[in-house]
Amino acid sequence: MQEAGLRPQELNPARLTALFRRQLELCKLAPGETLAVVTDLTTRREYVQAAFAAAEMLKADVYEMLVSSTPSWTKVGVPTIGQCKGTLEALSAADMILIFHIPLFTKWLKTVRDGGTRVLMVHDAPDDLEELMAPPGLKEAVKYGEALYRKTRKARVTRPGGTDITWDCGEYPVMAQWGYADEPGHFDLWGAGLIHTFPNEGSAEGTVVLEPGDIVILPYCRYVVDPVALRVSGGHIVDVAGGLDAKLMRDWLDDAKTGPDDRDPYAVSHLGWGLNPQARWYGIGLYGDAPERSRAAARVFAGNFLFSTGPNTQGGGKRSTKGHYDVPMRDCTLELDGQTIISNGRIVDPQMQVRRVAR
């Protein structure tokens, strides 16, 4: 049992099947379709049982593929599919994949999606699966924001305290997640509500100051406790200044280097913002630092600016470094081609504002 499972759980376990059924209905799982459930040695068995029961209720065919590994949630791009003969072919033939670990930045994920298979990642605790499930209007808000970001050529983020960074857009695709995989080839995360892209190579310039209350959700699961000043030039972080949090960042990124001249861990990676009103910034304060309680919520709370470093292969780039850092930042102002989309952490465009549902 994972650590989060030892904390008091509010969701009645008997409701998991109904919860999974609602989610699979959002994913438009249809009678006669094949659902492949990809698990690992740490997957909650109650999730597998609920997924099987829900799929059978919807008259879909379902099977489990259990990989013989314990994937690390702190390292992305580690393949769990493809080494064993027939695994990639089997998943490519499925209509939908439900996967319980992180497949991002892997070649096999691109292969199955290119063939039209839709993929839903699940890696949060039961209470969060219920609370974060996409509310009405979230998909429409995300799709609207996605269209804005696709048209954008210059983006800027500012915040009192020194943050002022710009980047060019258009070289890489915009990726949008609204919490369920209902379109051919679409990848999503249960509980999402997020838009992001990778900046054009070498275009990111300026300063990012991580402030107390920002969240380092990867590789750690903690609030920033002291300011960290990042100087960005030519698309890379060239200086990291500060106290404890600065040292934690430097040491993690340095350990990911493949050699003394490897700059990839310090490259600016995906940049975007959260839109899910069901998520709350203060979750770590309520539930502690168990990653299972914050993997989705920390990244998608409405109005956050998600800053990251490291790989860009998910968007078609060539950086495959394990030096990935994800930091959702509070109270930022985001401009797309001079148009303010988020002001001081509040989404100001009404077409991206989604009403929270009490649960």
Side-chain angles (χ1 to χ4, degrees), residues 105-273:
F105 300 97
T106 61
K107 293 180 179 178
W108 77 262
L109 178 61
K110 182 179 187 303
T111 298
V112 299
R113 291 180 62 198
D114 285 348
T117 299
R118 51 201 196 274
V119 182
L120 182 70
M121 178 169 66
V122 184
H123 65 176
D124 287 88
D127 291 342
D128 302 289
L129 295 185
E130 179 179 48
E131 182 63 33
L132 299 178
M133 183 176 285
L138 181 58
K139 178 179 179 179
E140 292 76 12
V142 169
K143 298 283 275 189
Y144 170 81
E146 177 188 18
L148 284 182
Y149 212 5
R150 282 181 174 173
K151 293 187 296 184
T152 298
R153 290 300 169 260
K154 175 73 75 172
R156 181 188 185 194
V157 166
T158 58
R159 183 171 64 174
T163 292
D164 191 342
I165 184 173
T166 62
W167 65 95
D168 296 338
C169 306
E171 183 176 349
Y172 295 106
V174 174
M175 284 153 280
Q177 298 170 356
W178 47 84
Y180 47 94
D182 61 332
E183 298 180 359
H186 181 62
F187 169 84
D188 219 305
L189 164 66
W190 185 337
L194 175 69
I195 303 167
H196 60 92
T197 191
F198 299 90
N200 292 3
E201 291 294 339
S203 71
E205 295 281 345
T207 300
V208 173
V209 180
L210 308 182
E211 299 278 4
D214 293 340
I215 301 171
V216 180
I217 191 57
L218 187 71
Y220 312 112
C221 185
R222 56 177 273 131
Y223 292 120
V224 172
V225 297
D226 51 15
V228 181
L230 309 175
R231 185 160 59 89
V232 178
S233 179
H236 287 74
I237 297 171
V238 295
D239 186 63
V240 180
L244 171 63
D245 281 289
K247 181 171 178 55
L248 285 169
M249 186 175 194
R250 280 194 304 267
D251 285 3
W252 172 263
L253 296 180
D254 285 345
D255 280 348
K257 288 182 176 182
T258 58
D261 298 324
D262 182 12
R263 301 176 65 209
D264 285 356
Y266 284 88
V268 177
S269 186
H270 57 77
L271 303 173
W273 67 96

Side-chain angles (χ1 to χ4, degrees), residues 335-355:
E335 300 172 33
L336 304 181
D337 288 334
Q339 177 185 356
T340 299
I341 302 301
I342 297 172
S343 178
N344 298 317
R346 302 289 182 181
I347 296 174
V348 296
D349 190 322
Q351 295 193 67
M352 283 194 293
Q353 295 172 347
V354 183
R355 184 182 298 274

Side-chain angles (χ1 to χ4, degrees), residues 20 24 34-40 43 45 47-49 51-52 55 61-67 91 94 96-100:
F20 270 77
L24 293 179
T34 295
L35 173 67
V37 178
V38 180
T39 64
D40 58 73
T43 300
R45 296 313 299 174
Y47 281 5
V48 180
Q49 294 161 358
F52 269 53
D61 299 316
V62 59
Y63 70 89
E64 177 184 7
M65 181 181 291
L66 172 61
V67 298
L91 295 185
M96 179 178 168
I97 297 170
L98 197 63
I99 185 165
F100 291 92

